[in-house]
Amino acid sequence: MSIHLGLCCLLHNNKELKFRTYTKARLERLSFEDARTNVHEVLTHNSQMLGRFFDFCRNNSIPSYRLSSDLIPHFEYITDRGLLTKEELDEYLSVFGSHDSSDICLSMHPGQHVAMGSNREEVIVNGAADLRLHVLIQDAIGFKEMNIHLGGAYGDKASAKARFIESTQEFKDYLTIENDELTYNIDDCLEVSESLGIPVTFDLHHHRCHQLKPEYTPRKSEREYFLLARQTWIDSGRDYQRIHISSPRLAEYTTASKSRPHHDYITPTDIPSWLLEESKEFPLHIDVEAKAKEKAIMQLNEDLDLHSVKNLV
């Protein structure tokens, strides 16, 4: 098998390895100099902490890591107020890039406030600004993988997809897109992928939730969708495929909305045997979206070993 499990952003209840932040409300209560000091204390901490996260992944045999999108919190606000100059930004980006991540497959996942198919121009403008910050960070470190959702339908899914395609042209070299639980299914993502020429990150949990919607009938099996998504990674020149997995908090799939919240761990039976088989053919990076974070990864590693013995040997 060529399965590489990925850590998403943070660790589980770890007080030693943790990124810091500040709020706009707090900064507004401070004098300019105190706000500036607060910003630079946080950014200095985060720029050094990133290297410790890389070391943690390396030391714990975690070959894939999703960087936090809050390495530079409220970027536009602090730059507009003059709390962070371009020269200072370049210095922090240089520190980000100085950490060794050569043996870790990196990605980022901007928040759902990035809605590039919105019917409001200001939302698209703000989303593009956020994506440009992610591009700066990725260029500094040396990778290109930025996964986002298609967003809302705004009463007209076809028009929203068209706006998404138009508004993301400048980010095509970095973007991947992901199917969601309620609005955009894997078919929608494959359609947008074909227009933009970008990879589709197949979220198996989201797909299973979406299937519970009475109005949605998948045209293909999970495995067939997985393989179609894989082809988008190959077509974009990648030498690996990324997917997301999670288990429902209630340990079973009931309705689309009730099944959405993530469990602390991954239920082993939620990993289909065909996924293990397909991992022999092409390297697979799996983001483990579980609340127990690294503990869930370690447990799943044990479970996959047991599963492979039972099913594949």
Side-chain angles (χ1 to χ4, degrees):
M1 288 189 298
S2 183
I3 286 182
H4 310 282
L5 300 183
L7 174 67
C8 297
C9 303
L10 306 174
L11 298 176
H12 179 72
N13 199 28
N14 187 310
K15 296 180 180 179
E16 297 298 320
L17 292 177
K18 190 174 182 180
F19 295 109
R20 291 176 55 190
T21 191
Y22 42 75
T23 64
K24 288 193 287 187
R26 170 174 169 73
L27 295 179
E28 287 171 354
R29 290 195 299 268
L30 300 174
S31 68
F32 176 82
E33 287 303 325
D34 287 344
R36 181 174 157 76
T37 297
N38 190 187
V39 165
H40 286 277
E41 285 176 349
V42 168
L43 299 192
T44 298
H45 171 88
N46 288 355
S47 62
Q48 295 298 333
M49 186 58 60
L50 182 61
R52 295 183 63 186
F53 268 84
F54 291 162
D55 290 341
F56 178 89
C57 290
R58 188 176 295 108
N59 294 336
N60 289 275
S61 300
I62 299 175
S64 198
Y65 177 56
R66 178 192 298 173
L67 278 69
S68 170
S69 288
D70 291 325
L71 292 174
I72 306 178
H74 302 295
F75 175 70
E76 280 195 277
Y77 177 81
I78 62 175
T79 52
D80 287 347
R81 282 197 61 189
L83 302 174
L84 178 71
T85 67
K86 182 183 183 305
E87 292 73 23
E88 291 164 340
L89 169 64
D90 289 343
E91 290 179 12
Y92 288 118
L93 291 174
S94 178
V95 177
F96 291 157
S98 70
H99 302 303
D100 180 17
S101 61
S102 56
D103 53 350
I104 306 171
C105 185
L106 301 177
S107 66
M108 298 188 82
H109 194 354
Q112 294 195 28
H113 62 278
V114 176
M116 302 304 287
S118 175
N119 55 4
R120 295 168 54 202
E121 183 64 24
E122 65 269 25
V123 173
I124 293 178
V125 169
N126 291 337
D130 196 18
L131 294 181
R132 290 186 190 106
L133 171 61
H134 283 75
V135 167
L136 286 175
I137 293 172
Q138 291 182 60
D139 283 350
I141 297 172
F143 70 100
K144 292 183 178 182
E145 190 184 334
M146 180 166 58
N147 184 66
I148 62 175
H149 292 269
L150 295 180
Y154 312 100
D156 184 348
K157 186 187 280 190
S159 295
K161 285 189 284 191
R163 287 192 297 271
F164 183 95
I165 292 167
E166 180 180 1
S167 66
T168 56
Q169 292 291 327
E170 70 174 281
F171 307 108
K172 288 194 298 184
D173 290 343
Y174 298 82
L175 276 188
T176 69
I177 51 175
E178 168 189 357
N179 55 301
D180 65 56
E181 314 98 306
L182 300 176
T183 306
Y184 290 98
N185 56 52
I186 185 64
D187 296 296
D188 293 316
C189 288
L190 290 168
E191 176 191 335
V192 172
S193 165
E194 185 174 2
S195 293
L196 284 170
I198 61 176
V200 172
T201 300
F202 185 33
D203 190 306
L204 194 55
H205 174 65
H206 288 173
H207 180 63
R208 289 170 174 172
C209 290
H210 210 119
Q211 287 184 98
L212 297 171
K213 297 180 65 176
E215 66 271 27
Y216 175 59
T217 302
R219 297 183 296 106
K220 300 180 182 298
S221 69
E222 285 184 351
R223 187 173 193 167
E224 289 172 321
Y225 278 128
F226 168 86
L227 291 174
L228 287 172
R230 166 174 288 177
Q231 192 61 47
T232 66
W233 290 80
I234 294 172
D235 290 345
S236 68
R238 311 285 179 134
D239 58 2
Y240 65 93
Q241 175 186 10
R242 190 182 301 277
I243 69 169
H244 294 172
I245 59 167
S246 47
S247 291
R249 187 176 63 196
L250 299 179
E252 62 179 349
Y253 288 90
T254 54
T255 67
S257 57
K258 289 182 179 178
S259 301
R260 294 171 68 192
H262 294 170
H263 198 286
D264 288 350
Y265 292 87
I266 303 298
T267 304
T269 53
D270 286 337
I271 307 297
S273 58
W274 60 257
L275 188 66
L276 308 181
E277 290 282 0
E278 292 294 349
S279 71
K280 298 176 181 178
E281 304 300 323
F282 193 69
L284 183 61
H285 284 262
I286 302 178
D287 282 1
V288 177
E289 297 187 326
K291 293 186 179 299
K293 299 292 185 177
E294 77 282 2
K295 294 182 179 180
I297 291 174
M298 294 170 187
Q299 182 61 57
L300 185 57
N301 265 320
E302 293 183 15
D303 293 335
L304 286 177
D305 286 341
L306 291 175
H307 200 154
S308 65
V309 170
K310 292 178 181 177
N311 292 285
L312 300 180
V313 176

